[in-house]
Amino acid sequence: MASVQSFSSCDLSCMRTREPWGKPRRIRGRRCLIRCQSGKISDSEEEKHGKVKLRVLIAGGGIGGLVLALAAKQRGYDVKVFEKDLSAVRGEGMHRGPIQLLSSALAVLEAIDEKVAKQIIEAGCVTGNRTNGIADGLTGEWFTKFDLLTPALKKGLPLTTVIYRMTLQDILVNAVGPNILRNKSKVVDFMQEPNKVRVVLENGQHFDGDILIGADGIWSEVRSKLFGKQEASYSGFTCYSGLTSYVPHYIDTIGYRVFLGFNQYFVASDVGNGKMQWYAFHGEPPSCTGFPEGKKERLLGLFGKWCSEVTTLISETPEQMILQRDIYDRDIINTWGHGRVTLLGDAIHPMQPNLGQGGCMAIEDCYQLILELDKVAKHCFDDGKPCEVVSALRRYEKKRISRVKIVHTASRMASKVVANYKPYIEFKSGPLSNVVVTHPGIHVARAVLQLIFPHFIDWMIGGHGLW
Ligand SMILES: Cc1cc2nc3c(=O)[nH]c(=O)nc-3n(C[C@H](O)[C@H](O)[C@H](O)COP(=O)(O)OP(=O)(O)OC[C@H]3O[C@@H](n4cnc5c(N)ncnc54)[C@H](O)[C@@H]3O)c2cc1C
């Protein structure tokens, strides 16, 4: 009887070496290629053997849901994705912002589907080969720079890339296909029985599967049904995002830069195609909507005294291209699922966007989950034994939690640092009245960051230890 192929060993040997610009170079060439391609099993082959397919139900067709669907499709599983509204890519409205995919996440995508990963890399804008880092908002002076290139090259991974969410979604939706992805299908409930899980949609339809994965984002319905409704935590920051056609003179040398200020920060990134994306975060209570002067004027008020790299980007952005949203996350919990149901991505670990890691973590979740499913699917398809899917889900959760916890904690810490960032001491009275000097603590902070950050980046890029 033919077996469902496990891709993991193939993936690893395929990924080892690549050219500096991020394209895979196959030193293990033919053997590797043959093994990767032979991993796909056609429907007819399966039907011929009368095989029962693992039935995977996925709530949510965001980054996580689609990547998991792609991986499950590659394995020949019977997969269905229920998406409530494909046109709402995490609420970014019509000007959906881009997303940074770190080398580790891109490597995982390659391991799942090399062709799709190639499309994503080609459609994106590589920032991992330029200077990226943190600077002071007022002066524009570098605080610390990140080297995303060396660790990626050392490990033979694709370079960190920024891609428009809509482009990413289009590529994934096309790769997953209409037979798997059901739009306008809001999941409202599920029931677990000893041998199956049933998903219920808003329109009354229901579908049965072996497992249900809640990939339905920060306001996850599946999570609420599992653990009860819990309020998300407001981060203390609202986020204005803007997309502009202004091309700064430093475009060829700087990928993205985070400018820090007291209780506010500004992220500027090249996103390719002659466009710059920026995010302006400001500490304020949630739902401060409705600015009669307009968002742009408000931002020029908040950031007007900052360095020209910041003010120019705001000034060069049309009002209608500026959006605002409040930023929420949730505490990490140790239980991610129950029985035949588990969660991934923002549904279980939404994090603040300051490290640009939420989507990357969702992609890594998918990979770990599919590796665990591979093990049990092989066992039950090959040997005809009961499929131990429940244990596979628990193993996936256990293997992901530590890494996710570290990244989540780092994101919260980063936002606390910003909330308390005071780089200057301003003397209000006395002989030094109106004199501004650099806070001595800033030198220490810079030294500490320069010491810690390279290791942190190395660890981030290293993924979950698979390469
Ligand atoms: C300003 C900002 C910038 C960011 N930048 C980055 C970055 O550079 N890099 C990065 O990695 N991450 C970034 N993130 C985080 C990233 O956007 C999220 O972590 C990522 O989108 C999570 O993917 P997901 O698939 O888990 O959830 P989502 O992308 O939220 O997808 C969930 C999907 O489920 C659907 N859904 C919801 N409820 C239901 C239901 N009941 N039934 C059916 N479908 C449902 C939704 O419509 C949605 O399509 C950023 C976030 C923000 C806010």
Side-chain angles (χ1 to χ4, degrees):
M1 198 176 189
S3 68
V4 171
Q5 301 262 340
S6 167
F7 282 29
S8 50
S9 54
C10 146
D11 298 335
L12 293 180
S13 58
C14 285
M15 285 191 309
R16 293 274 186 231
T17 307
R18 68 189 53 249
E19 303 291 356
W21 54 89
K23 293 222 187 312
R25 176 156 58 93
R26 295 187 179 286
I27 44 163
R28 305 190 186 190
R30 247 185 98 237
R31 193 174 136 252
C32 165
L33 189 64
I34 290 165
R35 288 182 59 209
C36 288
Q37 287 176 340
S38 69
K40 287 188 192 174
I41 293 173
S42 70
D43 276 354
S44 57
E45 201 181 328
E46 292 205 326
E47 279 157 16
K48 201 167 62 200
H49 293 287
K51 275 205 297 194
V52 181
K53 291 177 176 181
L54 181 66
R55 294 169 306 162
V56 182
L57 305 176
I58 302 172
I63 299 168
L66 290 173
V67 170
L68 181 66
L70 185 63
K73 179 186 173 184
Q74 292 285 47
R75 266 70 178 172
Y77 301 158
D78 176 1
V79 49
K80 292 185 180 68
V81 182
F82 307 100
E83 166 56 47
K84 71 172 177 189
D85 181 7
L86 259 187
S87 69
V89 183
R90 243 204 118 172
E92 295 270 310
M94 56 186 288
H95 316 297
R96 289 166 190 122
I99 185 165
Q100 170 191 278
L101 297 176
L102 204 66
S103 300
S104 45
L106 287 170
V108 162
L109 282 169
E110 270 193 343
I112 288 171
D113 189 320
E114 206 174 333
K115 214 171 107 197
V116 169
K118 189 166 177 257
Q119 273 178 277
I120 291 171
I121 290 167
E122 280 173 5
C125 164
V126 174
T127 51
N129 54 1
R130 284 179 262 169
T131 304
N132 300 285
I134 305 177
D136 178 66
L138 281 182
T139 61
E141 239 173 73
W142 284 104
F143 198 54
T144 182
K145 293 177 187 173
F146 315 145
D147 179 7
L148 299 174
L149 182 65
T150 314
L153 288 180
K154 249 198 265 167
K155 294 181 170 72
L157 306 179
L159 300 185
T160 294
T161 293
V162 175
I163 183 167
Y164 286 92
R165 280 171 197 262
M166 286 303 291
T167 312
L168 178 63
Q169 188 193 51
D170 282 348
I171 294 172
L172 292 173
V173 164
N174 286 334
V176 167
N179 294 339
I180 287 176
L181 177 61
R182 288 154 197 259
N183 195 13
K184 305 286 175 206
S185 301
K186 183 178 178 188
V187 172
V188 290
D189 205 356
F190 66 84
M191 296 110 183
Q192 298 208 54
E193 291 175 24
N195 295 320
K196 68 177 186 192
V197 55
R198 169 166 291 183
V199 121
V200 182
L201 304 186
E202 197 175 37
N203 63 12
Q205 278 186 299
H206 56 78
F207 297 85
D208 293 343
D210 295 310
I211 51 170
L212 165 65
I213 315 300
D216 48 345
I218 183 167
W219 313 110
S220 169
E221 201 74 39
V222 177
R223 179 186 176 127
S224 297
K225 296 282 175 226
L226 275 174
F227 306 124
K229 241 188 168 56
Q230 293 149 338
E231 291 300 314
S233 319
Y234 180 55
S235 66
F237 288 89
T238 199
C239 171
Y240 300 81
S241 54
L243 190 63
T244 172
S245 301
Y246 171 76
V247 180
H249 62 87
Y250 51 79
I251 198 87
D252 293 331
T253 51
I254 296 175
Y256 74 84
R257 204 168 359 174
V258 183
F259 296 91
L260 295 187
F262 174 53
N263 213 22
Q264 59 195 68
Y265 61 107
F266 189 95
V267 184
S269 176
D270 176 19
V271 292
N273 300 324
K275 302 232 186 287
M276 288 289 289
Q277 171 80 32
W278 52 263
Y279 295 103
F281 293 82
H282 182 242
E284 60 186 46
S287 309
C288 284
T289 46
F291 312 108
E293 75 275 33
K295 295 191 195 82
K296 186 166 166 169
E297 274 312 300
R298 176 168 165 76
L299 284 169
L300 287 172
L302 293 172
F303 291 87
K305 292 195 178 135
W306 281 34
C307 57
S308 62
E309 287 89 339
V310 170
T311 51
T312 313
L313 284 176
I314 300 173
S315 305
E316 294 288 339
T317 307
E319 175 72 29
Q320 74 275 14
M321 296 301 281
I322 303 177
L323 303 168
Q324 187 227 342
R325 65 190 300 172
D326 294 330
I327 300 294
Y328 290 85
D329 69 1
R330 289 182 189 274
D331 293 343
I332 290 281
I333 50 174
N334 291 322
T335 308
W336 288 22
H338 177 67
R340 294 172 174 272
V341 183
T342 192
L343 301 169
L344 67 73
D346 277 13
I348 183 63
H349 49 66
M351 50 187 75
Q352 295 180 35
N354 43 35
L355 299 179
Q357 280 306 306
C360 296
M361 288 296 111
I363 294 170
E364 287 189 15
D365 287 350
C366 297
Y367 190 56
Q368 191 64 52
L369 181 51
I370 211 73
L371 290 182
E372 299 307 329
L373 291 177
D374 277 352
K375 289 177 199 159
V376 291
K378 182 171 168 35
H379 173 75
C380 63
F381 290 145
D382 276 0
D383 309 337
K385 292 185 182 149
C387 222
E388 292 171 1
V389 278
V390 173
S391 60
L393 300 188
R394 299 297 89 81
R395 276 201 307 277
Y396 142 74
E397 295 159 1
K398 209 168 149 203
K399 287 188 179 163
R400 283 300 293 154
I401 195 159
S402 326
R403 178 162 165 90
V404 163
K405 248 185 199 170
I406 294 171
V407 179
H408 182 274
T409 307
S411 306
R412 278 198 172 169
M413 267 170 59
S415 118
K416 284 212 172 78
V417 167
V418 171
N420 297 297
Y421 177 78
K422 283 191 188 134
Y424 308 105
I425 304 172
E426 195 176 344
F427 295 91
K428 299 266 184 220
S429 56
L432 292 177
S433 175
N434 286 332
V435 172
V436 177
V437 294
T438 305
H439 195 294
I442 218 70
H443 301 298
V444 180
R446 179 176 290 149
V448 171
L449 268 183
Q450 281 168 358
L451 196 72
I452 292 173
F453 241 96
H455 298 289
F456 184 67
I457 298 279
D458 211 46
W459 176 81
M460 283 301 312
I461 286 182
H464 41 49
L466 286 174
W467 41 83

